[in-house]
Structures are given as C-alpha cells and as structure tokens.
C-alpha cells in the first residue's frame, strides 16, 4: 500500500513520529474532556450534595463548581500545550520526510541511465521533485494528525458512551459505518482523477520549462501569442482534471453531514426520552449530547482529509514510481578504481538504441594508444557520438568489448572512469554562477592559480579579464550572457582543470567562429603531449593534425588514416574535404 511505503520513509524518525502521535492523542483527549465536565456541572447544579462530584468527597456545590472550573482551566491549558507540540512535531516530521524524498529522488535521477532521459521531460521530473513532494508534505503535515484524532475521538467517546448507555452508544455509532464505506467509495472514485491531476501538473511544468528555455526562439518567430494559447490550453486541462476530482470530494461532505445528523438526532431524541422517563440522569444526558457532536462532527472534515490523502497518495505514487525506475548502468561488486594512461580498445563492438531499428555501430574495431589524437568524422547519424557514449559508459554495447588500458570498461568503477575523462560537447552547459565557479567545477579542490592556468591553456583568460567583473562575472542561466565561442573555451578550461589522461571534444567547434576554432586548436597543441585526445567534428579543418582520422558511415568505419593518407586515397574523406574547402 502506498501509505505504508511513505510511512516507511519515516523509520529514521520513529521516535519523533511516536511522540507526535502521542501529542495528537493527548490533545484530542483534552479536547473531549470539557464536554464531560459540562455534563458533570449540570449534574452538580441539579443534584448538588448528591452529585457525582459529591461522591468523590467534595460535598459543597460551590466547591464542586470551583473544582470543575479549575479542572477546566487545566484541561484547556493542556489542550493548548499539546496542540503546540503535535503541530510542531508533525510539521517537522513532514519536512524531514519531504527532504528525504526529494534528496533520494534527486540522487536516483542522477544515477539513472542516459536512455531514461531520452523518454523524460525536464518539466515532469521537476514537477515530481517540487510539486509532488510538496503535496505529500501537506498531507503529512495535516492529514496524518486529522486521521489520528478522528480515531482517538471514536475510541475515547465510544468508551464513555458504552459506560453510560449501550443503547445510545449503538445509535450514536450507527452512522460511522456509512461514513467509512462512503469514504472508501469516494476514494476509489477520486484516485484515478487525482492521478490525472498530477500528470497534468507535470505537463504544465514541462511546457513552461521548455518555453522559458526556448524564449529566444519563440521571440524570433513571434510566437508569443501562440505559446500563450498553448499554455492556456494545457492549464485548462489541468483545471478540468481538478474540477473532476473536486466534484467527487465535494459530494462526500453532504453525505457525511446527513449521516452525522442521523446519529445526533437519535442520541438527542432517544436520550431525551430516556431522561424524561427517569432511565438516564440529566447530567449523563448532557454529556452524551455534547459528546455526540465531538464524536461525529470531526467526520465533517474527513472530506478535506480524504482530499489531502488522495492528492498526497497520487503524488506519492509518482515519487515512488520514479524511485523504482531501474538503474542498468551501475558498478558491480568487483569494479576497480584504475589510474588510466589513455589506451583505448574496441573489439567487434555493435550497439543499437532501443528506439531505433538499425544498429548505430556495427562491428567496430579500434585501437587508440595513450598520447595519440584520434578523430571521428562523418555525416550526422553516422555513429560518431555513439562511440563517445560507449567510452563514457553512458551505454553498454550489446556485442563486443570496450577496454581501457586492457581492462573491460564494465570492470572499472564509473566514478573512477569518468573522473579521468574530460568531455567538451557541442551542447555545453554552464551553471548560473561566476566564470571562476564554472571552471573550478572541473576540480573543486583547484587553487585560484590552477583555475587561471586552465583558462590560459583554453585561451579563455584574455577575454575573461576584459569583462567588468573578470572571473567573478555571472554567466547567466546556461551561459546566456556569453557568446558561443566564449562558452566553449570556458568548457574546455573546465575539462582541462581535471587534468584528465583522456580528453574528448564532441563537436566542440561546430558552432563557433573561426577565431574560437583557431584558439581551441592552439590549445590542443599545448595540451596534447602525453594525453589521449578524441575529436568528433563536422569541420575537417579541426582534425587535420590528428594521428588517425576515422570516417564513419552508417555505423561502420569505411576508412581510417592520417589527413594526408586519406586525401591520397581519394575516398569519402577526400570528397568531404573537397566539399568543405570548395574543391568540388
């Protein structure tokens, strides 16, 4: 059951959960007590020296009333104290469980395979981490206490009823089965509707995130009005899904009220008749009438509690569903931490994406010796980036072997592997922080001098110091305040700060100006000594100095060799070179 899985997340806070529950129960007991004292006060006024209190040893009626007044004060004070305690503890507990869910979900997402993100929208994941976790927190904050106090009311008031009059107890309790059955009925009706509400919330978050990220494209195509209408339509769907759920939860309240009225009238009339007939004391009748309200009226709020519950459980199912997503690319028990020198081997490697019908790579054989520079060229979709994804262990090949320094890549600890590979991709991501922080992200222990050295190697230092705040300049979200060339050079500096034995540039110069391309090429010459460099490029001018250039087509190597050798062969590389240089 979803609720039990949620509660199991609070095991680490078991002591606080028990204390919060005790405070809720004691608070409700104090809340019920004044009604009993009112009935006893009525008994004092009517029976005086023969009252229930007189039998306890306080004979004088005035002293009895003073005693009841003092007890009332203590009870109200106790109720207030325990209300503060249960509110404080339930809210703290809700925050802690919320925090654990959010951190665990985020940590799980971080470990997910790249294939998982191919089918996920950022907005949906953000919605789960924010909206769904917050919705669950609201239930834990309010709903758990409400349910506990309703149960306490039923048990405590029921005990008093059965002590005074079994007949009236049965009459007063008669609506409760109807209320409980109704609650289960409405829960089943509401469950799929609230699941749809959470899905629609995720769609809204996804659409808004996408549009904010693509605001420049929207403006360039003057699609502001169109996108506003699209967001409005998605929001309307969310509203309609909510309305459908609200109709169910709202219908529950009138049903409960009528059931409550039935129980109250039964106690009110039958108890009154018994009192008139002398079968029930006036004070006892007063206690039962007031306690009937305490027993049944809390059920009025059951609709709101059920609403919170269903919303919370719908969110919990999405959260738990995310946590249950399997991780396929992970370390096994014998995975090793290895200091790589940069030797890479691929033996008969074949790989196919699940979403594609044909293989992205077919029977690939490749040997890269430490310190060499190899380049992969070819048309879009030829398999160049797939080679990198296998080397980074984002995916596993279905056939063949990938080795680093003679060790199967599956036997190398993932953190050890990736920490020794510097990757600069075409879609470079910069955090909304300073340039210094973005470069230091490559090695958080690096000194200021090391950060500056990496920036100089990447030929980024010169433009950075010309900025108003230099290295402390905030780059904006995704580096929006910088040019494409500046972003790429910062990304290169970040990768160099790792001082990796293997450096990969995946289309890093495809969208930069000639000056930036030349700067990156100069940087590569400075850092190439003793380092394995892998280049993926459409611009062949970027790869002319590579030791080996591999031309891919339809997932296969069709020719390999140096720039000069491939030109002499008059093959596919020669054709691409001629097209780019204007020879054809």
């Amino acid at each position: 059951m979803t609720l039990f899985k949620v509660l199991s997340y609070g095991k680490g806070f078991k002591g606080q959960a028990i204390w919060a529950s005790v405070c809720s129960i004691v608070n409700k007991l104090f809340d019920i007590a004044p009604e009993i004292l009112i009935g006893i006060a009525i008994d004092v006024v009517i029976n005086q020296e023969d009252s229930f209190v007189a039998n306890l040893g306080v004979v004088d009626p005035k002293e009895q009333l003073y005693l009841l007044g003092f007890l009332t004060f203590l009870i109200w004070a106790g109720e207030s104290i325990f209300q503060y305690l249960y509110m404080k503890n339930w809210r703290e507990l809700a925050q802690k469980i919320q925090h654990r869910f959010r951190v665990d979900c985020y940590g799980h997402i971080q470990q997910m395979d790249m294939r998982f993100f191919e089918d996920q929208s950022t907005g949906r994941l953000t919605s789960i981490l924010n909206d769904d976790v917050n919705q669950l927190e609201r239930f834990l904050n309010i709903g758990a206490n409400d349910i506990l106090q309703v149960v306490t009311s039923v048990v405590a008031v029921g005990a008093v009823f059965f002590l005074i009059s079994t007949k009236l107890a049965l009459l007063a309790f008669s609506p409760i089965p109807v209320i409980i059955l109704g609650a289960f009925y409405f829960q089943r009706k509401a469950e799929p509707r609230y699941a749809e509400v959470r899905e629609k919330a995720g769609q809204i978050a996804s659409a808004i995130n996408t549009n904010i990220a693509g605001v420049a494209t929207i403006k360039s195509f003057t699609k502001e009005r169109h996108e506003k209408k699209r967001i409005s339509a998605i929001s309307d769907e969310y509203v309609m899904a909510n309305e459908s759920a609200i109709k169910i939860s709202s219908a529950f309240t009138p049903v409960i009220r009528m059931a409550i009225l039935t129980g109250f009238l039964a106690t009110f009339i039958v108890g009154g008749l018994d009192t008139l007939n002398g079968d029930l004391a006036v004070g006892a009748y007063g206690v039962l009438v007031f306690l009937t309200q305490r027993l049944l009226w809390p059920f009025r709020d059951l609709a709101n509690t059920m609403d919170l519950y269903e919303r919370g459980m719908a969110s919990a199912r999405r959260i738990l569903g995310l946590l249950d997503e399997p991780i396929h690319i992970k370390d096994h028990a014998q995975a090793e931490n290895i200091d790589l020198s940069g030797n890479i081997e691929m033996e008969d490697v074949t790989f196919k994406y699940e979403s594609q019908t044909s293989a992205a790579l077919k029977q690939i054989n490749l040997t890269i010796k430490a310190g060499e520079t190899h380049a992969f060229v070819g048309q879009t979709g030829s398999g160049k980036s797939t080679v990198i994804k296998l080397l980074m262990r984002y995916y596993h090949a279905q056939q063949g072997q990938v080795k680093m320094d003679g060790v199967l890549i599956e036997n190398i600890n993932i953190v050890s592997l990736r920490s020794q590979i510097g990757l600069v991709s075409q879609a470079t991501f910069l955090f909304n922080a300073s340039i210094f922080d973005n470069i230091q992200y490559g090695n958080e222990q690096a000194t200021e001098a090391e950060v500056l050295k990496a920036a100089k190697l990447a030929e980024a230092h010169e433009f950075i110091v010309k900025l108003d705040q230099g290295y402390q300049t905030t780059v904006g979200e995704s580096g929006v305040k910088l040019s494409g060339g500046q972003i790429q050079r910062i990304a290169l500096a970040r990768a160099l700060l790792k001082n990796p034995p293997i450096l990969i540039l995946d289309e890093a110069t495809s969208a930069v100006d000639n000056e930036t391309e030349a700067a990156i090429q100069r940087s590569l010459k400075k850092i190439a000594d003793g380092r394995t460099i892998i280049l993926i490029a459409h611009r062949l001018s970027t790869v002319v100095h590579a030791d080996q250039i591999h031309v891919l087509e339809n997932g296969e190597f069709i020719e390999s060799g140096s720039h000069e050798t491939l030109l002499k062969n008059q093959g596919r590389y020669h054709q691409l070179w001629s097209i780019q240089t204007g020879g054809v």
Side-chain angles (χ1 to χ4, degrees):
M1 187 177 177
T2 304
L3 179 59
F4 293 142
K5 290 182 180 179
V6 171
L7 293 177
S8 69
Y9 250 75
K11 285 182 179 178
F13 316 115
K14 186 177 180 180
Q16 186 170 12
I18 292 173
W19 174 236
S21 300
V22 169
C23 291
S24 293
I25 292 170
V26 174
N27 169 262
K28 180 50 65 175
L29 293 176
F30 277 130
D31 184 51
I32 293 168
E35 274 66 25
I36 298 175
L37 291 180
I38 291 172
I40 294 173
I42 294 171
D43 180 58
V44 167
V45 172
I46 293 175
N47 296 315
Q48 299 186 23
E49 287 83 357
D50 297 323
S51 68
F52 170 76
V53 178
N55 294 330
L56 298 177
V58 183
V59 179
D60 183 79
K62 291 182 180 180
E63 291 181 3
Q64 293 178 33
L65 290 175
Y66 292 146
L67 175 61
L68 292 176
F70 178 67
L71 290 175
T72 301
F73 172 80
L74 292 179
I75 288 169
W76 277 72
E79 181 184 2
S80 300
I81 291 170
F82 280 94
Q83 182 176 17
Y84 163 76
L85 290 173
Y86 86 66
M87 290 177 67
K88 175 180 177 293
N89 282 279
W90 279 120
R91 288 176 180 177
E92 287 180 354
L93 191 61
Q95 290 296 322
K96 289 175 182 177
I97 295 176
Q98 174 200 45
H99 169 74
R100 179 173 288 184
F101 264 119
R102 180 174 285 118
V103 172
D104 284 1
C105 277
Y106 180 75
H108 191 72
I109 289 172
Q110 294 274 76
Q111 299 299 318
M112 290 304 298
D113 312 329
M114 294 302 292
R115 73 182 71 183
F116 169 78
F117 296 99
E118 294 174 358
D119 300 321
Q120 298 292 328
S121 69
T122 303
R124 179 179 180 274
L125 297 177
T126 303
S127 175
I128 292 174
L129 288 173
N130 284 330
D131 295 343
D132 286 320
V133 172
N134 289 338
Q135 187 66 57
L136 181 58
E137 182 263 341
R138 280 190 285 273
F139 166 70
L140 294 172
N141 188 20
I142 301 171
N145 170 72
D146 288 348
I147 292 172
L148 194 58
Q149 290 204 331
V150 167
V151 172
T152 302
S153 292
V154 171
V155 174
V157 174
V160 176
F161 258 89
F162 278 99
L163 281 173
I164 295 175
S165 172
T166 302
K167 178 176 67 175
L168 291 179
L170 294 174
L171 290 173
F173 273 72
S174 61
I176 292 179
V178 176
I179 293 171
I180 293 174
L181 290 173
F184 281 113
Y185 171 78
F186 282 105
Q187 181 204 350
R188 286 196 299 271
K189 289 285 187 180
E191 184 176 326
R193 288 168 171 81
Y194 280 119
E196 184 181 4
V197 168
R198 299 318 310 154
E199 285 300 321
K200 295 300 181 184
Q203 291 175 16
I204 290 176
S206 177
I208 291 174
N209 282 356
T210 301
N211 281 18
I212 290 174
V215 66
T217 302
I218 292 171
K219 286 181 176 295
S220 69
F221 284 91
T222 64
K223 291 291 186 178
E224 292 91 341
R225 185 175 297 178
H226 168 78
E227 291 301 327
K228 183 180 179 181
K229 288 182 179 178
R230 191 170 70 87
I231 295 296
S232 176
I234 298 173
S235 183
D236 281 341
E237 291 178 2
Y238 173 72
V239 170
M240 287 188 288
N242 247 317
E243 286 178 350
S244 177
I246 290 169
K247 285 179 183 177
I248 295 295
S249 62
S250 298
F252 186 33
T253 302
V255 172
I256 290 177
R257 291 182 70 89
M258 294 309 297
I260 290 170
L261 178 62
T262 303
F264 178 76
L265 287 177
T267 306
F268 184 75
I269 294 172
V270 176
L273 292 174
D274 285 350
T275 304
L276 291 173
N277 293 331
D279 297 328
L280 187 67
V282 174
Y285 174 61
V287 168
L288 294 182
V289 169
F290 286 118
L291 283 183
T292 303
Q293 291 182 318
R294 285 297 182 189
L295 171 67
L296 298 176
W297 284 115
F299 283 100
R300 290 180 309 166
D301 298 326
L302 191 59
N304 293 331
T305 303
M306 291 299 297
D307 186 71
L308 278 174
Y309 173 80
E310 276 307 324
R311 289 178 183 272
M313 293 306 101
S315 293
R317 282 186 283 273
R318 279 163 50 96
I319 296 168
L320 294 169
L322 178 58
L323 288 170
D324 287 339
E325 285 284 349
I327 300 172
H328 301 287
I329 308 295
K330 56 185 177 182
D331 291 325
H332 57 72
Q334 287 74 41
E336 303 176 73
N337 293 322
I338 295 176
D339 291 327
L340 300 177
S341 63
N343 292 299
I344 299 171
E345 296 175 74
M346 301 183 81
E347 300 175 359
D348 297 323
V349 170
T350 296
F351 174 78
K352 185 178 80 68
Y353 293 101
E354 291 182 357
S355 59
Q356 297 180 357
T357 55
S358 59
L361 293 176
K362 306 169 187 174
Q363 297 292 310
I364 293 295
N365 287 282
L366 173 70
T367 300
I368 301 176
K369 294 181 180 179
E372 290 184 344
T373 297
H374 283 234
F376 300 91
V377 301
Q379 295 180 335
T380 300
S382 60
K384 305 185 300 297
S385 293
T386 302
V387 173
I388 305 307
K389 291 175 182 178
L390 295 181
L391 295 180
M392 292 294 295
R393 208 178 160 198
Y394 292 157
Y395 296 90
H396 284 164
Q398 284 92 9
Q399 297 177 27
Q401 297 180 335
V402 179
K403 296 180 180 179
M404 295 281 190
D405 289 354
V407 180
L408 283 173
I409 199 169
E410 291 86 354
N411 294 335
I412 303 175
N413 180 279
I414 292 176
V415 173
S416 175
L417 172 71
R418 293 175 185 167
S419 66
Q420 297 180 79
I421 300 176
L423 175 63
V424 182
S425 63
Q426 179 181 5
T428 297
F429 181 84
L430 296 184
F431 296 94
N432 187 16
S434 69
I435 291 175
F436 184 92
D437 290 339
N438 271 284
I439 297 176
Q440 195 182 40
Y441 195 79
N443 179 5
E444 293 181 350
Q445 282 71 48
T447 64
E448 182 178 354
E450 290 170 332
V451 170
L452 267 61
K453 180 182 178 182
K456 290 174 181 176
L457 278 174
E459 298 213 8
H461 178 75
E462 186 176 345
F463 84 79
I464 293 173
V465 295
K466 291 180 181 178
L467 299 172
D468 289 342
Q469 299 181 53
Y471 279 84
Q472 296 307 313
T473 301
T474 301
V475 303
E477 198 164 333
S478 300
V480 69
K481 295 181 180 180
L482 303 176
S483 68
Q486 290 172 333
I487 290 173
Q488 289 297 78
R489 279 184 267 185
I490 291 173
L492 179 58
R494 180 170 62 188
L496 292 177
L497 193 62
K498 293 174 69 174
N499 192 27
I502 301 171
L503 178 64
I504 299 173
L505 274 70
D506 185 2
E507 301 283 13
T509 63
S510 63
V512 299
D513 53 64
N514 292 331
E515 180 184 350
T516 300
E517 182 185 7
I520 291 175
Q521 287 181 344
R522 289 193 298 270
S523 298
L524 291 177
K525 290 179 182 179
K526 296 176 186 176
I527 64 176
D529 188 34
R531 194 188 311 269
T532 300
I533 296 178
I534 297 175
L535 304 173
I536 292 180
H538 277 106
R539 287 185 183 181
L540 300 186
S541 58
T542 306
V543 305
V544 294
H545 299 295
D547 297 308
Q548 287 284 303
I549 301 171
H550 308 279
V551 183
L552 282 103
E553 199 166 278
N554 297 321
E556 299 179 279
F557 287 152
I558 58 173
E559 56 180 343
S560 298
S562 66
H563 173 71
E564 292 77 12
T565 301
L566 292 175
L567 287 180
K568 289 179 183 177
N569 290 343
Q570 298 285 307
R572 181 60 176 154
Y573 181 83
H574 180 269
Q575 293 177 3
L576 294 172
W577 179 261
S578 298
I579 293 171
Q580 291 191 18
T581 58
V584 174

